[in-house]
Amino acid sequence: MSKFSTIEVEFKDRDCIVETLEEMGYPVEVSSLAGLTLNGYYEADTLQNIANIVIRKHNLSVSSNDLGFQRTATGYKMLISDYDKDHLMARGGKLFVKSFTERYGLRVAVSAAQRLGFKQVATTDINGRPRIEMRRW
């Protein structure tokens, strides 16, 4: 049976989570009510973990488990198997957790700036690190 870990970072914005996953090329299932059951490596390996946002394992890689985000009182926490946390590579070559966390942070920052009246002018990659240029007219 697969063991799932909780990533300690709390993700606050459901829309930013879904948009980030879609931007990374992953189809997601979203449930606002009871949640969806996560599946382990074997199809019959249904786990006790329930998540509100799920990427099914067949959309990740051959040796993956489902990956999910479970709603909490303060936001969402990522549920990922111990194996996938250390081995699952996102499209583009970085470990999935690192890639997702970076992209999610950028999306949240841009979203907050846009609510304050800023517009995104450019995004550039400097030495592997993103740089966002925002302006307010």
Side-chain angles (χ1 to χ4, degrees):
M1 177 174 292
S2 303
K3 180 180 180 294
F4 276 69
S5 295
T6 301
I7 301 300
E8 295 302 320
V9 176
E10 190 83 14
F11 302 98
K12 306 276 184 195
D13 190 317
R14 185 190 79 137
D15 292 337
C16 285
I17 293 170
V18 171
E19 290 168 5
T20 301
L21 293 171
E22 290 173 344
E23 172 189 294
M24 292 173 71
Y26 298 107
V28 296
E29 295 178 27
V30 180
S31 171
S32 57
L33 300 174
L36 303 163
T37 303
L38 296 179
N39 296 309
Y41 179 71
Y42 299 104
E43 287 300 323
D45 190 8
T46 301
L47 307 170
Q48 299 300 318
N49 300 83
I50 302 293
N52 302 92
I53 303 167
V54 174
I55 304 173
R56 295 295 177 195
K57 63 184 177 181
H58 61 270
N59 293 311
L60 293 167
S61 74
V62 175
S63 59
S64 292
N65 300 277
D66 287 352
L67 184 148
F69 292 83
Q70 185 179 65
R71 188 174 47 231
T72 67
T74 58
Y76 291 82
K77 61 184 178 182
M78 183 188 294
L79 300 174
I80 185 169
S81 73
D82 286 347
Y83 176 83
D84 289 334
K85 182 173 60 174
D86 296 330
H87 295 91
L88 179 62
M89 302 301 279
R91 296 172 179 135
K94 289 185 182 176
L95 282 174
F96 179 88
V97 174
K98 180 176 175 55
S99 181
F100 173 80
T101 303
E102 288 174 357
R103 289 173 182 243
Y104 172 82
L106 288 172
R107 184 169 291 282
V108 169
V110 168
S111 178
Q114 288 172 337
R115 284 193 300 273
L116 295 172
F118 288 86
K119 294 196 187 285
Q120 184 174 348
V121 178
T123 304
T124 55
D125 192 0
I126 301 171
N127 298 326
R129 298 174 67 177
R131 180 176 183 271
I132 303 170
E133 187 175 334
M134 308 282 295
R135 291 205 178 122
R136 184 172 13 187
W137 283 274

